[in-house]
Amino acid sequence: MGFFAFAILGILTGIIAPIILPGKHVGGWFVAILLGLLGAMVGGWIAGLFGLDVYTTFWNFSGWVFALIGSIVVLLLFGLIFGRKRSSHLVV
């Protein structure tokens, strides 16, 4: 799969992942799309751990599944790291 097709795959999974995950996400849609691009790479890395070559063609179903899984993982990690900050001030 070429760079352009991979970018489209990442953008689409970046749009789909926040729809699947409930709740409000940090950064909005633009950040979600950027995280989708990163998530597609993470999904390819996860597939590589299983010995799979999922990004052979754009319409490869396993490629979409792993890209979506990677996007969800990256979105969850981003939310854990940059999510709401709780105040540590004690009110007496």
Side-chain angles (χ1 to χ4, degrees):
M1 176 178 349
F3 175 77
F4 184 70
F6 183 79
I8 297 295
L9 175 66
I11 289 169
L12 291 175
T13 57
I15 292 171
I16 295 170
I19 295 171
I20 292 174
L21 293 174
K24 187 173 182 178
H25 301 287
V26 179
W29 285 101
F30 182 71
V31 171
I33 289 171
L34 292 177
L35 293 175
L37 289 168
L38 179 63
M41 288 187 272
V42 170
W45 177 75
I46 292 171
L49 291 176
F50 294 109
L52 302 172
D53 185 19
V54 294
Y55 295 138
T56 54
T57 64
F58 183 74
W59 295 111
N60 187 354
F61 180 73
S62 59
W64 280 83
V65 169
F66 276 100
L68 189 56
I69 289 170
S71 295
I72 290 171
V73 167
V74 169
L75 193 62
L76 284 173
L77 288 175
F78 187 81
L80 288 173
I81 294 170
F82 297 106
R84 291 185 184 165
K85 305 290 184 200
R86 292 188 179 179
S87 176
S88 61
H89 297 97
L90 292 175
V91 177
V92 180

